[in-house]
Structure formats: structure tokens, C-alpha cells
Amino acid sequence: MAVSKLWPVNTNLGYVIDYAANPEKTDSRKYSAGEFQALQDVLRYAENEEKTEQLLFVQGINCSPACARDQFIAVKKRYKKTDGIQAYHGYLSFKEQDITPEEAMQIGIEFAQEVWGKRFQVVVSTHLNTQHLHCHFVVNSVSFRDGLRAHDETSWFRFAPVADRICKEHGLHVIRDAERNQSAGHYKKAEAEGKPTPWSLARAAIDEAIDKSQSYDQLVSELKKMGYSFDFNLKHKYWTIIPKGSVKSVRLYRLGNDYTPDSILRRIEENRTMTISGKLSTRQRLRSMQAKPESQPARTVTYRRTKKTIQKMLGYKKHSGLSGLYLHYMYKLGKLPVSKPYVPSKVDYRIRDDLLKLESLAEQTRLLCNNNISTITELLEYEDAENKKISELSEQRQMLRNKLRRNIPETEKEVVRKDIDNITQKLKQLRKEIKSCDEIAERSGMMQERLREVREREAQQRKEVNDHGYKQRQRRSDC
């Protein structure tokens, strides 16, 4: 067993059951993109249970997969518990690649039977569409036997040992000393590659708040200004924060040793002590808000220099309107020029959240610059032209699909399938550009407003530094 996980479902119950029993994932055959339409027709024709069991790896425990949704709801109505968590959706993934679908299904049924089978309805399916086979489980949140909601049965610490034991009995791999909440692993990998993550943004926000604070109350106030939700209760052992782009809170010690409650309070006390002793002037504190890490070399990059660099790269003489807005926004996010090192603490907290959307922002910037789009009118005209191309390509693909149904030689069918696949890829790219156009139209106004707020804040900071310097010069002249 490589991975076991279970999470609650609060929305559409039918959707998650359909996903777990999806024929495209549980079908034991492999089909190309050109054959997929025919596969759907076959599945619609083969409706009876005896035929579908020959192709699909789906089974119900205390219910029938064909009407599991209705049976789940019937139990909820019987015990008057139709609100709250509707079901639990989980999976059991196998490391071995030589395991057969039949064996994987057998392990999944044994596991579900032992953990939930005595009191709950479960749909078990084995998905064959990835490199590693994995079983999906959809568990009703209300017991058909006593009407109680599932609690202990959904605990990872309870069902993980059962999965390990069953996998051992079948001679499969078992993770030793498995830890919960391994989802942070991809954050660490992304940070090692220099990419922004919700965790790195949370660290930057906490660092910025600490630099501005000389007391616990100031720290809380600064983080609230940045729009963060957190629990920094002094009576609690662990402090938590909800990173931007996430819905779950994370304990601060997981962000690093410098983010435990004791470390944070110590850093605030150091700020206060240094200010009182006169070692840290107001001007130094203002500069420290945007100071680069020691590992990064000092570098001054103006927007004009950045704009020329991008113009040279894209081959245009001038960018204004929407394209200029996006280029300037990417510059403020610290991603232009491309050679500039990524420093999240240098990005203003008002736009720092968009670091998590860099990939889509970069695609939209390229679309605007490559097509020299400056106004909303030009953007809408470009979108209309792309929609026209989509209509033409869709008609061509339908004609090829109709041709595929005729009695033609197999060699000619292969050529037609390749043409269909090529058109499908073009349509995918065009629809992606249409989505980018819609996001640009929706996002551009918000970007202008955020940039206005950033400029106002920068002007206020420059004024504070200049006023402080003027006062210092006045004192020296008086002396």
C-alpha cells in the first residue's frame, strides 16, 4: 500500500459516486482518443449488470452501485440526517505495477468490508487509468444499521493499520513509519525549485508583520491588514494560520523553526529592544521592510529597463493598455525580468496572493503581447475570431468522425484517427485561449485597482523616509 486517504464530501453526492464508478477509469481495456466515442456507444448499449461486470471493476457493499445514490439518501431520510457531510471519499493506492486489477479489487473489498462493511454502505471501484492501480471508496456518512454518523471509522489512524495488514497478507509493499499530512511534500519540492507556494507566502507575510511590530498586538494587527486568518492565542500550544490559496489551517512550526510561538515572540522582543536602545532607527526599520535576504545580491531594476528587456524579447517597440498593464503587474510580482531572483518578501502584500497564479498570468501576458492586444475591444475581437476557428474545427472533426463510421480500410481509419487527434489538440489550445481572454477581461480592472493601492503605499513610504531625513538634517543644522 503506497497511500491511503479519506476526506468528507459536503456537496453533490451523485457526482462523487459517478466519479468513483467512472467507466473511463475502471475499464480494463485501453482506448485511443479516436476510439473513445465508440467506447461510449458500447457502454450505453451494454446496460445490463452481467455485461458491465465483465468490463468494469465496481462493486457495492450493502448497496447496489447502479442505485447507490438513492440508497444512500434513503438511509439519511430514514434517520432524518440529510444535512452536513453527505459521504466520505477515499482511495487506496498500490506501489506495485505488476498487481492485477482483480487482486487490487479483492484487496479493496476486504479493506472496505472490515472497516465499514458492518454498519455502512460502500461503493468500491478499482481505477486502471494511471500507472499505479488504486481503489476508490465512497462511504455513506450515516449507518444503515443504527443511524449514527461515521466518526471513528473515518480516522486515518484507525483504518491505515488495517490497510497495512491486508497488504502484507497479499505480499505487497507497506510504508514504514507513515506520517499524516504528507500533502506538504509538493510545497517543499516547489520551493526547492524556486516557485511560490502558499507556505512561502505565509512565511513572507509573517516576516513582514514581525519587522513592523514591537508587540504582540501589533503583530496581530499587521496580519489582519494583510487579510490573513490565524489563531495566535497565547494560551494555545500551537499557533495556526490559513495560507492564501488554501482552506486549511497549518501549524506554524511546520513553516520552520523561526515560526514557532516562542521564536516569533523572541523576534518581536528583539525589535523592541533594538528600538529602545537606539540601534534601529526609523529609517532603518522602513528599509528593512523591503530588505533582500543576505544571499541575494543588491540590484536596482527600474520599470523602464524591464520594459525594454521584454520588448526586445517579444520583438515589439511599445506595449500599452492591457499588455502594458500585465507587463507592469508581472514586474511588481518580481517575475520580470526573467533573470531577476524570486524574493517573495519584496512583493507587496496587496498583490502577493497572485504569486500563486503566476502560470496563468504568464500565459495571459504572452497572449496579449504576442497578439499586440491593448484594449478590451481588441480582446473581444480576438476572442470572436478564436470562437469562429473553434466552430470550423469542430465541424471538420465531426465530418471525420462520420467518415470513421463508414466501411473504409483500416489503414485509412488510422489516418483519420490521427487527423481527429490533431484537431482535438488544436481545439484544446483554442479553448484555453478563450478562457484566458475571459479571465483577462475579468481580472484587468482588479489589477489596476491593486496597482493603484501599491503606488499609494510606496509613495507614503518614500514620504516617511524623506520626512525623517529632513528632520535629521534640521537637527544637525540647529546644532
Side-chain angles (χ1 to χ4, degrees), residues 146-165:
D146 51 30
L148 297 178
R149 291 186 182 273
H151 290 292
D152 293 340
E153 295 81 7
T154 62
S155 170
W156 181 84
F157 297 102
R158 183 181 184 277
F159 66 71
V162 177
D164 289 345
R165 176 173 52 77

Side-chain angles (χ1 to χ4, degrees), residues 256-311:
N257 295 331
D258 291 337
Y259 302 93
T260 62
D262 292 340
S263 298
I264 291 174
L265 294 175
R266 175 181 52 78
R267 292 167 65 184
I268 293 175
E269 181 63 23
E270 288 176 356
N271 283 351
R272 191 179 68 85
T273 304
M274 293 178 70
T275 303
I276 293 174
S277 63
K279 294 181 179 179
L280 188 65
S281 66
T282 304
R283 185 168 185 171
Q284 288 172 325
R285 282 190 285 108
L286 289 171
R287 286 180 174 176
S288 69
M289 295 177 188
Q290 296 184 339
K292 293 185 178 181
E294 294 181 359
S295 59
Q296 301 293 351
R299 183 176 181 182
T300 302
V301 182
T302 63
Y303 174 60
R304 182 180 298 174
R305 173 71 176 274
T306 303
K307 190 173 180 180
K308 289 182 178 179
T309 303
I310 299 303
Q311 289 171 355

Side-chain angles (χ1 to χ4, degrees), residues 165-230:
R165 176 173 52 77
I166 294 176
C167 287
K168 281 183 180 180
E169 292 173 356
H170 286 263
L172 300 180
H173 172 79
V174 175
I175 298 177
R176 294 183 179 181
D177 302 323
E179 296 181 4
R180 198 179 184 188
N181 297 329
Q182 287 295 311
S183 59
H186 68 280
Y187 288 165
K188 295 178 181 178
K189 182 179 178 181
E191 289 174 7
E193 297 173 353
K195 298 178 181 178
T197 67
W199 284 23
S200 65
L201 300 189
R203 289 193 198 96
I206 295 171
D207 289 339
E208 183 175 339
I210 291 174
D211 289 340
K212 297 179 181 179
S213 304
Q214 298 181 32
S215 67
Y216 168 82
D217 292 337
Q218 277 186 295
L219 173 68
V220 171
S221 177
E222 290 295 335
L223 284 174
K224 285 182 178 178
K225 287 180 183 178
M226 298 181 193
Y228 275 86
S229 299
F230 53 90

